[in-house]
Amino acid sequence: MIIDFRSDTVTKPTPAMLEAMIKAKVGDDVFGEDPSINELEQMAAAMFGMEAAIFCASGTMTNQIAIKCHTQPGDEVICDESSHVYQYEGGGIAFNSGASVKLLPGNLGRITAEQVKNSIQPDDPHRTNSRLVCLENTSNRGGGSCYDFQEIKKIQIVCKENDLAFHLDGARLWNALVAKKSAHGVLRAGSGGETPRQYGEVFDSISICLSKSLGCPVGSLLLGKKDLIKKARRVRKVFGGGMRQAGFLAAAGIYALQNNIERLAEDHAHARKIAGAIAGKDFVNQVLPVETNIIIFELKVGMTATELVAKLKEHDILGYAISKNRVRLVLHLDISKEMTETTIQVFNQL
Ligand SMILES: Cc1ncc(COP(=O)(O)O)c(C=O)c1O
């Protein structure tokens, strides 16, 4: 039995998801005729109270389309220095949009309204043109850290006051929403809880992934106002991302939105348990706070991340060395309670 913690992208569709995919009604989506894609786009937009959505191949594509739609060449994108849009999308901000980037040193991937305000360029022809702020929630390199929604609202005010567009890389937004949900569940408001609709109210565009914690084989959605999504459809075509009978994939997305959100709490609980076992090891320097499904821990001098990953592999446990001394483990749908217990036993023996 292989226990694969390398990423939450490694999940395979369950029999029930496959059943939904096989039964999907499909058509040519470039002609707007795929009923399953249309249903998924409408469903996701409605969940966030946003006007429209577009189904794309990946989270990289939805982020890059959003950046292209919001900017002109020479504009500047403001984001945290560890952001996926900057670090892991192949230089796409420059390649696709010809835009510049202002990197901010955030706290575990989270930047503040004050930092954004201080980073806006003056109206000076020598400077770039500050145009877009991108947040990431949860933050991948921040160890699955979640934003405080009040801070997001403050950043939105700074954006409004300075005519900046506001995009959210919500590849794992569902994890944040589950971690911060009200007593009534993820989709319904309650004291202290966060809902997708609140996010839909503050951002100009949101990218959400279906292929990470939600267990779909492929797919992400970009959400926004009707005119933005119309523009996004044109950009997606230019990027070569127009899809035909992709309703089979959309059906997996519909299934995931209906069935796989609330269960993310199990992944979070598994992550906390494993992190507890890791924190006690004498070769571990620190474990980043575990708020959702990602565990990042730092090793003491004497063992490299690659060496520890190799040791874990001897026990059929797969992890990811994200730097010389940091290892990442990601919990997901295909990691059971038993696998979690086995992993804890292995760490206890190391
Ligand atoms: C925070 C974040 N944004 C975007 C992406 C890109 O998603 P994809 O792999 O579907 O392109 C990832 C992928 O892991 C991610 O972690």
Side-chain angles (χ1 to χ4, degrees):
M1 176 177 74
I2 301 284
I3 309 179
D4 194 345
F5 291 107
R6 286 171 304 161
S7 173
D8 45 10
T9 55
V10 300
T11 54
K12 308 227 169 49
T14 57
M17 182 180 275
L18 280 173
E19 176 86 14
M21 292 170 77
I22 288 167
K23 287 186 181 152
K25 291 196 176 71
V26 299
D28 190 323
D29 182 49
V30 172
F31 293 142
E33 290 173 2
D34 189 301
S36 302
I37 293 184
N38 293 342
E39 186 185 337
L40 173 66
E41 290 176 347
Q42 280 158 22
M43 184 180 176
M47 280 172 138
F48 284 81
M50 293 181 98
E51 287 179 7
I54 179 169
F55 182 54
C56 294
S58 69
T60 300
M61 185 177 264
T62 41
N63 280 332
Q64 291 299 320
I65 289 175
I67 293 166
K68 182 78 185 158
C69 288
H70 289 303
T71 62
Q72 293 293 323
D75 283 352
E76 192 157 83
V77 178
I78 300 168
C79 60
D80 176 80
E81 62 192 1
S82 69
S83 307
H84 198 279
V85 290
Y86 175 70
Q87 296 282 359
Y88 305 107
E89 296 187 4
I93 297 177
F95 191 93
N96 299 314
S97 302
S100 181
V101 186
K102 180 82 177 179
L103 298 177
L104 301 178
N107 168 19
L108 297 175
R110 296 162 299 200
I111 56 177
T112 65
E114 193 62 25
Q115 283 179 301
V116 172
K117 198 170 167 184
N118 293 336
S119 72
I120 296 169
Q121 300 281 15
D123 185 9
D124 175 341
H126 296 88
R127 306 295 194 113
T128 53
N129 179 37
S130 303
R131 181 66 202 111
L132 169 69
V133 175
C134 285
L135 304 188
E136 185 176 310
N137 198 22
T138 68
S139 162
N140 182 342
R141 279 302 170 110
S145 60
C146 303
Y147 266 91
D148 172 355
F149 192 71
Q150 296 313 315
E151 196 60 39
I152 293 180
K153 276 182 146 163
K154 285 186 199 160
I155 299 174
Q156 186 216 11
I157 293 169
V158 173
C159 288
K160 278 216 153 145
E161 285 171 354
N162 294 279
D163 195 24
L164 305 176
F166 198 22
H167 172 71
L168 176 65
D169 176 356
R172 295 184 182 79
L173 182 57
W174 291 112
N175 293 91
L177 288 163
V178 165
K180 303 262 178 110
K181 71 179 177 184
S182 79
H184 309 297
V186 179
L187 298 178
R188 289 167 58 204
S191 61
E194 290 179 9
T195 62
R197 283 186 161 260
Q198 285 173 302
Y199 278 81
E201 278 165 20
V202 297
F203 285 97
D204 296 308
S205 55
I206 299 179
S207 159
I208 53 166
C209 289
L210 303 164
S211 59
K212 302 205 166 60
S213 308
L214 295 189
C216 293
V218 176
S220 293
L221 288 147
L222 181 66
L223 316 169
K225 285 210 160 43
K226 274 189 186 149
D227 55 352
L228 182 98
I229 298 304
K230 190 175 171 205
K231 200 170 167 186
R233 235 169 252 290
R234 173 172 276 276
V235 175
R236 185 186 67 173
K237 193 77 182 80
V238 176
F239 283 2
M243 292 189 279
R244 303 296 178 175
Q245 288 73 21
F248 296 112
L249 300 171
I254 294 168
Y255 179 88
L257 290 178
Q258 286 170 341
N259 295 283
N260 290 351
I261 295 174
E262 298 278 357
R263 65 148 306 283
L264 293 174
E266 290 169 33
D267 299 341
H268 300 178
H270 289 162
R272 283 194 297 273
K273 273 189 164 180
I274 296 172
I278 295 171
K281 301 310 297 181
D282 55 7
F283 55 83
V284 171
N285 195 25
Q286 63 153 335
V287 185
L288 298 192
V290 175
E291 289 189 62
T292 52
N293 66 326
I294 300 180
I295 308 165
I296 293 181
F297 58 101
E298 196 173 278
L299 301 169
K300 286 186 181 154
V301 177
M303 194 192 296
T304 66
T306 314
E307 281 164 359
L308 181 68
V309 167
K311 250 186 198 187
L312 290 172
K313 201 170 176 189
E314 287 168 16
H315 298 272
D316 292 332
I317 294 175
L318 306 184
Y320 188 40
I322 58 167
S323 73
K324 269 192 183 148
N325 64 348
R326 283 191 169 195
V327 176
R328 188 187 73 173
L329 304 179
V330 187
L331 276 293
H332 52 76
L333 185 61
D334 291 357
I335 302 279
S336 63
K337 192 168 173 247
E338 291 69 33
M339 288 170 167
T340 300
E341 296 303 335
T342 304
T343 306
I344 291 171
Q345 280 166 20
V346 168
F347 269 102
N348 286 342
Q349 287 159 20
L350 283 180

